Amino acid sequence: MIKILIKAPLLEEDVISSFPFIHKVLEIFEEPQLNIICEQGQEGLFEFLPEKINAFPITKEQKNVFGIHKFANSTIDAFNIELFLDLEMTFLSAFIGHSFKAKERVSYVNSLNKLLLTQSFEAPSELRKDTYYLNLLENHLKTKFEHFKIVGNASEEPPENFFHAEEPGPFIMVVLENLIEKSLFWEQLFNKFEEQRFMIWDFSASLEIQDFVKNLPSKNQYLYRKGSHSEFSDIVIHSKGVLCNQIWCGQASSYLGVSSFIWTTQVGQVPFIEYFKTHPHLIEHDYENVSKIIGPEESSTPTDLNQVVDYLHLQMKL
């Protein structure tokens, strides 16, 4: 058994982009005990992975030399680390590997972090984050991986009758960070559907979102649901698709093999992840005008919201 410690990337969408890297680590090393240090609030993202991962969140207040040293000494479940793989790639993240006394400490060079690494590589340019992280592992192992596809962890149990209908039916999963802030717009969008089922998922258990769902018009069926990331993964696989406006959520849904539709103001900021079986659909919209839709196979330029709804109907086979 080899004990491995990974420092996860800083951004949530980059954490999802690191999943192909994590899959390879679990595949290549014999009986790895994998521990991951992540930013506080991101530990739930690792529940999407098929293997049990020990995730240890670190707070912003702990991200200094003294705080990291204390954090390492108090995290007794992760000790005798043989290999530290740093995907944050900063001096402080390299100091994490140093504080855990990892025998091997591997990352890309980023200024002074090289001083704390046992193996460092020049960072490649113009690579997507998923390939960027895999390239680090390839460099460490002195190998090249063949292309592969991965899919995430989800229950294979049949879906329950969420909407208490005569029989379970298709539904659209909705995860919107700005549901309350842009409530008038989202209600307008929902009203362009007829006799559809929407499950409004809430990771934060917000009373405002619960009240919003209760007061939506009755031309469609709406169900408010709150829960963890693992609960989300077990349910979302039974949906027709995911409508969201957070990059990580769309990417995580794609990782789970579910069509996702990311509502964004700038499609250029949303990277595709080559190693997932499905890719998200990107809808560029500033909540007033639609600019474009970029699908996995083709793009289009709708002129109004009705055409966006038509696109969603077509892609989700509603």
Side-chain angles (χ1 to χ4, degrees), residues 37 58 62 65-79 95-96 98-101:
I37 295 175
I58 187 168
Q62 292 173 307
V65 171
F66 298 107
I68 289 171
H69 182 73
K70 185 176 180 181
F71 175 83
N73 288 335
S74 64
T75 310
I76 59 174
D77 291 332
F79 58 93
F95 188 72
I96 290 174
H98 177 79
S99 297
F100 276 90
K101 299 181 173 61

Side-chain angles (χ1 to χ4, degrees), residues 56-97:
F56 303 97
I58 187 168
T59 66
K60 291 181 180 179
E61 291 73 23
Q62 292 173 307
K63 293 287 286 289
N64 57 70
V65 171
F66 298 107
I68 289 171
H69 182 73
K70 185 176 180 181
F71 175 83
N73 288 335
S74 64
T75 310
I76 59 174
D77 291 332
F79 58 93
N80 294 332
I81 299 297
E82 296 176 58
L83 175 61
F84 174 67
L85 298 165
D86 182 10
L87 303 186
E88 180 183 324
M89 305 166 194
T90 64
F91 177 80
L92 286 177
S93 60
F95 188 72
I96 290 174

Side-chain angles (χ1 to χ4, degrees), residues 271-310:
F272 286 98
I273 299 178
E274 181 181 347
Y275 303 91
F276 293 173
K277 286 190 174 181
T278 63
H279 296 295
H281 303 251
L282 311 178
I283 302 172
E284 185 171 328
H285 196 294
D286 61 4
Y287 303 100
E288 292 185 6
N289 300 296
V290 187
S291 297
K292 68 181 79 168
I293 295 176
I294 299 180
E297 297 178 356
E298 59 182 0
S299 302
S300 60
T301 53
T303 57
D304 57 33
L305 201 56
N306 290 320
Q307 292 185 6
V308 175
V309 173
D310 291 341

Side-chain angles (χ1 to χ4, degrees), residues 26-273:
L26 291 168
E27 174 191 321
I28 287 172
F29 292 96
E30 186 175 352
E31 296 183 8
Q33 184 191 90
L34 186 57
N35 305 281
I36 295 180
I37 295 175
C38 62
E39 302 303 297
Q40 187 178 38
Q42 294 180 358
E43 55 270 27
L45 297 176
F46 299 99
E47 294 176 6
F48 293 133
L49 292 163
E51 301 283 343
K52 172 64 177 175
I53 302 294
N54 299 318
F56 303 97
I58 187 168
T59 66
K60 291 181 180 179
E61 291 73 23
Q62 292 173 307
K63 293 287 286 289
N64 57 70
V65 171
F66 298 107
I68 289 171
H69 182 73
K70 185 176 180 181
F71 175 83
N73 288 335
S74 64
T75 310
I76 59 174
D77 291 332
F79 58 93
N80 294 332
I81 299 297
E82 296 176 58
L83 175 61
F84 174 67
L85 298 165
D86 182 10
L87 303 186
E88 180 183 324
M89 305 166 194
T90 64
F91 177 80
L92 286 177
S93 60
F95 188 72
I96 290 174
H98 177 79
S99 297
F100 276 90
K101 299 181 173 61
K103 295 177 183 177
E104 288 187 274
R105 302 182 296 278
V106 181
S107 189
Y108 289 125
V109 174
N110 183 12
S111 188
L112 295 177
N113 73 333
K114 184 177 182 179
L115 300 175
L116 299 174
L117 301 172
T118 60
Q119 189 179 34
S120 59
F121 303 97
E122 292 298 322
S125 59
E126 299 181 359
L127 286 182
R128 294 184 320 276
K129 284 296 178 70
D130 55 345
T131 305
Y132 185 79
Y133 300 139
L134 280 168
N135 182 257
L136 176 65
L137 188 59
E138 288 177 330
N139 286 338
H140 170 64
L141 297 172
K142 298 179 180 178
T143 189
K144 283 290 182 182
F145 302 134
E146 294 183 4
H147 193 267
F148 61 95
K149 294 285 186 180
I150 59 175
V151 66
N153 181 38
S155 171
E156 295 183 0
E157 293 292 322
E160 63 180 275
N161 194 347
F162 301 113
F163 291 83
H164 305 292
E166 292 184 3
E167 60 182 33
F171 64 93
I172 302 168
M173 181 68 82
V174 177
V175 188
L176 297 170
E177 184 183 32
N178 64 352
L179 186 60
I180 301 304
E181 178 189 350
K182 298 290 186 181
S183 59
L184 292 177
F185 172 80
W186 293 119
E187 183 173 344
Q188 177 191 5
L189 178 68
F190 295 149
N191 283 337
K192 291 187 177 295
F193 292 85
E194 291 187 7
E195 299 182 356
Q196 296 296 331
R197 294 169 177 169
F198 293 90
M199 181 180 290
I200 314 295
W201 192 272
D202 182 10
F203 288 106
S204 62
S206 164
L207 291 176
E208 284 185 296
I209 293 179
Q210 292 182 52
D211 290 339
F212 172 78
V213 174
K214 288 178 183 177
N215 294 318
L216 285 168
S218 59
K219 63 188 300 185
N220 297 294
Q221 283 185 275
Y222 300 95
L223 177 64
Y224 172 85
R225 191 87 177 221
K226 62 182 178 181
S228 66
H229 292 79
S230 62
E231 290 170 319
F232 174 81
S233 66
D234 288 342
I235 293 175
V236 73
I237 61 168
H238 301 296
S239 72
K240 298 294 286 185
V242 180
L243 178 62
C244 61
N245 65 344
Q246 295 170 282
I247 297 172
W248 73 263
C249 185
Q251 290 178 333
S253 300
S254 295
Y255 171 65
L256 293 168
V258 180
S259 296
S260 63
F261 302 83
I262 304 177
W263 210 275
T264 177
T265 55
Q266 289 183 298
V267 295
Q269 295 180 348
V270 184
F272 286 98
I273 299 178

